[in-house]
Amino acid sequence: MQEKLSHLRTEVESAIKSVKNSADLEVIHNKYFSRKGEIALMMQELGKLSPEEKPKAGQLLNETKKHLEALFEEKSQKIRADGMAAELEKEWVDVTAPGIPYKAGHVHPISQVQYEVEEIFSSMGFSIEDGPEVESEYYNFESLNIPASHPARDMQDTFFVDKEGDSELGRLVLRTQTSPVQMRTMQTKGAPLRIIVPGRVFRNEATDASHDATFYQVEGLLIDENISLAHLKGVMQEFLSKLFKKNVLVRFRPGYFPFVEPGLEMDFACLICNQKGCRVCKQSGWVEFMGAGMVHPNVLKAGKIDSKKYQGWAFGFGLTRLVMMKYGITDIRLLFGADTRFLNQF
Ligand code: FA5
């Protein structure tokens, strides 16, 4: 018995020593320490010994058992601690490392300038109006004093929508100008009126550095008593100097739009080439900026406004061209090219 015990002790000690993981531990537990393990078998053998041999052998067996159990427990704890350390190592995070930057979008340069324009006109008491992009021929043309047969319709090459419109309001078109919103607002709000209408418009035009088939305009309308073009000049001067934070040279020249009388055009001194001549200003030093004029009495009538009591002016400028001037962009098509290398500069 003594010899057997000494043999078992050495065997278990070396088995515990060679344990590497919890799976090995379980094998050893089952083989030696379980209810049917080798130590339990020794206990059973103890019962078969003579009463003289039993006490000594019993004491030895108990000591060996305690010793091996302690050894096993110590190893179990070490394996558990090593396992946890390995887990922690895997989960380790450097909280001081800089974060991964995420790509955030930003407001498009056209919208940025649109918001600035809105703010400046709001500060002068103008409210901001909106209207449909798919418009009727009536609002886009007729109500603005451009009947179907009028040659002025040729000035704005139109996209027609292949869908039946309201029979009284004519076919549906993609609006060629923001001016129909003038009419809609006159009809719903009446005089006096002080509005701007920023929005997208569409023309079936060949594109070049300063023309696109989709672009943005800002319409302005002021209707009140005793209004003249002097007020328009004052408002535009104030608007442009606030927007560009410097004096911008402008010029007025006669222009024709059926919905105003008299009509005029306002041009900018080209800020890209400082009037030396470039492809944006077509070497002229001036960029066509907006059409304007005193609202035609026929238009006031269609807007249900008493033209004897009220008069006013309207203007419409190209917001897209204004953005080009503000940022020195030499090709209008870049603004809708969706090239983030270009857009991220603003
Ligand atoms: C109009 O659209 C008139 N509705 C403006 C108006 C309003 C006149 C109220 C009188 C009273 P016009 O077609 O000229 O006018 O266009 C106005 C502005 O839009 C132009 O001065 C120009 O700055 C811009 N524009 C015109 N066509 C294009 C285009 N293809 N691409 C970019 N901008 C354009």
Side-chain angles (χ1 to χ4, degrees), residues 258-295:
F259 32 94
V260 286
E261 183 58 43
L264 55 97
E265 299 254 10
M266 197 185 99
D267 301 334
F268 256 137
C270 183
L271 300 177
I272 289 177
C273 63
N274 278 330
Q275 292 201 287
K276 288 191 189 73
C278 66
R279 64 186 186 135
V280 172
C281 64
K282 298 203 176 81
Q283 315 303 331
S284 71
W286 294 96
V287 178
E288 173 194 323
F289 176 58
M290 70 174 206
M294 296 301 289
V295 180

Side-chain angles (χ1 to χ4, degrees), residues 186 190-192 223-226 296-312:
M186 279 194 253
I223 307 275
D224 213 324
E225 294 176 45
N226 303 317
H296 196 289
N298 286 351
V299 175
L300 290 173
K301 209 163 128 199
K304 300 187 173 48
I305 285 176
D306 179 358
S307 61
K308 299 253 167 11
K309 186 173 178 198
Y310 293 105
Q311 62 290 132

Side-chain angles (χ1 to χ4, degrees), residues 84-103:
M84 272 161 68
E87 277 302 307
L88 283 177
E89 182 67 29
K90 257 197 272 165
E91 289 174 10
W92 184 80
V93 178
D94 181 358
V95 291
T96 64
I100 300 161
Y102 60 91
K103 284 185 184 159

Side-chain angles (χ1 to χ4, degrees), residues 155-156 176-179 182 203 205 210-213 215 217 219-220 257 259-260 265 288-293 314-318 320-321 332:
M155 288 158 68
Q156 298 179 2
T176 56
Q177 49 187 349
T178 40
S179 304
Q182 282 188 29
R203 290 187 193 175
E205 278 188 21
S210 56
H211 290 82
D212 216 338
F215 59 99
Q217 286 189 338
E219 191 82 7
F257 300 94
F259 32 94
V260 286
E265 299 254 10
E288 173 194 323
F289 176 58
M290 70 174 206
F315 65 78
F317 66 76
T320 317
R321 294 225 181 122
I332 195 170

Side-chain angles (χ1 to χ4, degrees), residues 144 178-186 195 219-221 299 314:
L144 296 168
T178 40
S179 304
V181 188
Q182 282 188 29
M183 181 53 60
R184 289 181 175 278
T185 319
M186 279 194 253
I195 61 164
E219 191 82 7
L221 177 69
V299 175

Side-chain angles (χ1 to χ4, degrees), residues 22-42:
S22 49
D24 293 351
L25 268 178
E26 201 176 330
V27 172
I28 288 173
H29 179 268
N30 290 342
K31 189 169 178 196
Y32 300 108
F33 297 98
S34 65
R35 275 176 52 216
K36 288 183 182 163
E38 296 209 12
I39 295 175
L41 287 177
M42 285 287 212

Side-chain angles (χ1 to χ4, degrees), residues 226-280:
N226 303 317
I227 295 299
S228 77
L229 287 175
H231 297 111
L232 173 65
K233 197 169 179 219
V235 165
M236 291 318 288
Q237 206 70 56
E238 172 72 4
F239 161 63
L240 291 168
S241 51
K242 276 202 168 153
L243 187 75
F244 288 104
K245 298 180 180 66
K246 65 175 181 183
N247 268 340
V248 179
L249 208 57
V250 297
R251 75 175 181 189
F252 290 92
R253 57 188 163 84
Y256 173 70
F257 300 94
F259 32 94
V260 286
E261 183 58 43
L264 55 97
E265 299 254 10
M266 197 185 99
D267 301 334
F268 256 137
C270 183
L271 300 177
I272 289 177
C273 63
N274 278 330
Q275 292 201 287
K276 288 191 189 73
C278 66
R279 64 186 186 135
V280 172

